[in-house]
Amino acid sequence: MPEPIETPDPDVLTDTRDLNTLNTFISSQSCVLLLGPLFGVDANSEKIHSNLRSFLTAEPNLLNLDDEFDNLYICKSPDSTQNAILINGLDSYYKTVQPHQVYSQILSIGFRAIISYTSDLLLAEANTNNEYDFAFFSAKGNQINPDQGTALNATKKPLIYNIFGNNSDLNSLITDYDSLYDFLINILQANQEFPLQLKNILSSARAFLFLGFDLRKWYIPLIIRKFNHFILNGNRTRTAVSAFACLDDTDDIQADLLAEGLSKYPLSFTAFKGYNSLQLLEKLAMMPKKVPVVALGNSRPVSQTELAFFKKWDQEMKTYGKEEGLKTFFKEYKDLNYSGVYKIEFDGKYMDYNKACTDKYFGTISREDFDVACNIIVLSLFEYIPKVLNP
């Protein structure tokens, strides 16, 4: 008898599809990595969060910490008398911790920015080649690493940004309820405090990858909502931004409850089912990346062939049905090999279209949602085509 044909695991197929999609966003330099409070891992592959909490609550520190706030390490003491002990404990621990190799691996993947939800400097210290800029949020205003040498608002480097401060700057640390609520108020109102470099990156980001989060924590949507504010200020629709997540740090709950929790966020989440955070980063580090021509500074004028193409579609897109028009447009766009000023934008729309088609094929979105996605892409094309024709 012939050997039975093995049926592919649908979760494996979905994860492979989503991994390739995520890698495409990274390759186009339009993906931002967000490392949550639970991500940290040391050289022994142990969770820094757990070890640090044990260190702070054991002798001689004996700190009374609020468990609600992940590894923000908020003192329950109402008069802040334990703050000095907490600050000293954080400083002592991070001076001895040996980081996992994943921090160097992260920097090699090619994220447009990395936003860390901890105060440690593990990523900044892994940046030995100075390929990334580093900055951190402080209620006293944006703080810039004095060793950078260039103004943060002028550089085009990718960015490491500590959203919960900097362990070496005591004024930026969140150690009690007062500093926590001051932080939340300030970050929701902040505008000038965020470096222009980060705001520009967020306004043009096509995808976000969330690792190391318990995505059900009440305060995280508030902070993510602030990032979405920058996205919307970049004239971007909410549905045009994708979000990917690993759920190894989210407490086990029923799938329907998880979906309800994720609906708090102003992004549409795709969760990897078979990878934890370290496995996903290892796979991304091994995948080839394509460097966009625009990223190399190519801003040449539009060619006559490209001009004819965009003139044609400026009219013809209006006569096609949305799905048929996009299918034909992107087939011809791929053959055109466009490399002009708006390459990243058009490539992003191409990725949005491919993802919508894939989701429709796998049945993860309804026909109505697919039509809505196509309509949004068409409207976006009508925004960028005139910019090519009238630079």
Side-chain angles (χ1 to χ4, degrees), residues 285-350:
M286 293 188 299
M287 298 180 78
K289 305 294 188 299
K290 177 182 176 183
V291 179
V293 176
V294 166
L296 301 177
N298 184 349
S299 58
R300 61 164 180 77
V302 62
S303 70
Q304 290 300 313
T305 302
E306 293 166 344
L307 188 63
F309 170 81
F310 287 112
K311 279 185 176 179
K312 167 192 169 185
W313 279 104
D314 189 40
Q315 298 300 318
E316 290 196 6
M317 185 65 75
K318 301 170 185 176
T319 63
Y320 275 95
K322 298 291 190 302
E323 182 177 359
E324 182 186 4
L326 288 175
K327 179 179 180 181
T328 309
F329 172 84
F330 283 121
K331 180 180 183 302
E332 294 183 9
Y333 172 78
K334 184 178 179 182
D335 295 337
L336 179 69
N337 196 26
Y338 172 68
S339 59
V341 175
Y342 295 100
K343 176 177 172 57
I344 289 180
E345 285 77 6
F346 283 112
D347 284 358
K349 302 305 174 188
Y350 191 17

Side-chain angles (χ1 to χ4, degrees), residues 366-377:
S366 66
R367 176 71 204 196
E368 181 180 354
D369 288 339
F370 174 75
D371 290 340
V372 170
C374 287
N375 188 56
I376 290 172
I377 296 169

Side-chain angles (χ1 to χ4, degrees), residues 79-345:
D79 57 2
S80 302
T81 55
Q82 292 188 323
N83 273 6
I85 299 173
L86 174 56
I87 291 171
N88 181 66
L90 291 170
D91 182 64
S92 299
Y93 181 85
Y94 280 120
K95 281 182 177 177
T96 60
V97 69
Q98 296 297 313
H100 194 278
Q101 65 178 4
V102 72
Y103 291 97
S104 298
Q105 197 173 60
I106 288 170
L107 299 182
S108 73
I109 291 174
F111 294 103
R112 188 66 185 88
I114 304 166
I115 300 174
S116 175
Y117 283 66
T118 60
S119 64
D120 66 67
L121 299 176
L122 299 178
L123 271 173
E125 291 168 353
N127 185 33
T128 54
N129 295 328
N130 197 33
E131 295 177 353
Y132 283 72
D133 285 327
F134 172 73
F136 60 95
F137 181 87
S138 172
K140 297 183 180 298
N142 180 57
Q143 306 297 315
I144 299 175
N145 183 351
D147 297 328
Q148 280 178 195
T150 57
L152 194 61
N153 286 348
T155 179
K156 294 185 178 180
K157 287 183 179 180
L159 177 66
I160 299 168
Y161 191 79
N162 277 18
I163 200 69
F164 284 148
N166 178 338
N167 190 53
S168 66
D169 185 307
L170 302 187
N171 288 324
S172 70
L173 293 181
I174 304 167
T175 56
D176 54 25
Y177 293 115
D178 281 343
S179 58
L180 172 67
Y181 297 129
D182 283 345
F183 163 77
L184 289 172
I185 292 170
N186 275 289
I187 200 170
L188 290 175
Q189 295 178 341
N191 190 22
Q192 297 303 320
E193 290 85 347
F194 283 96
L196 178 61
Q197 179 184 3
L198 179 60
K199 288 188 282 188
N200 288 340
I201 289 172
L202 290 171
S203 68
S204 60
R206 306 293 309 180
F208 292 86
L209 172 61
F210 292 76
L211 302 177
F213 289 90
D214 183 343
L215 292 172
R216 298 178 306 145
K217 289 294 185 180
W218 66 269
Y219 60 89
I220 298 176
L222 298 178
I223 301 170
I224 295 176
R225 182 63 183 82
K226 180 60 183 181
F227 293 145
N228 194 57
H229 167 75
F230 293 127
I231 294 171
L232 295 177
N233 278 353
N235 297 319
R236 299 274 298 285
T237 58
R238 186 177 75 174
T239 53
V241 181
S242 300
F244 300 82
C246 282
L247 302 180
D248 42 314
D249 291 299
T250 298
D251 292 342
D252 290 336
I253 55 175
Q254 296 177 2
D256 56 339
L257 295 179
L258 177 60
E260 180 182 351
L262 293 181
S263 68
K264 300 174 186 175
Y265 297 82
L267 300 168
S268 176
F269 272 86
T270 295
F272 288 98
K273 298 179 176 61
Y275 302 136
N276 63 32
S277 297
L278 294 183
Q279 291 168 338
L280 180 67
L281 290 169
E282 183 179 5
K283 286 188 172 293
L284 287 172
M286 293 188 299
M287 298 180 78
K289 305 294 188 299
K290 177 182 176 183
V291 179
V293 176
V294 166
L296 301 177
N298 184 349
S299 58
R300 61 164 180 77
V302 62
S303 70
Q304 290 300 313
T305 302
E306 293 166 344
L307 188 63
F309 170 81
F310 287 112
K311 279 185 176 179
K312 167 192 169 185
W313 279 104
D314 189 40
Q315 298 300 318
E316 290 196 6
M317 185 65 75
K318 301 170 185 176
T319 63
Y320 275 95
K322 298 291 190 302
E323 182 177 359
E324 182 186 4
L326 288 175
K327 179 179 180 181
T328 309
F329 172 84
F330 283 121
K331 180 180 183 302
E332 294 183 9
Y333 172 78
K334 184 178 179 182
D335 295 337
L336 179 69
N337 196 26
Y338 172 68
S339 59
V341 175
Y342 295 100
K343 176 177 172 57
I344 289 180
E345 285 77 6

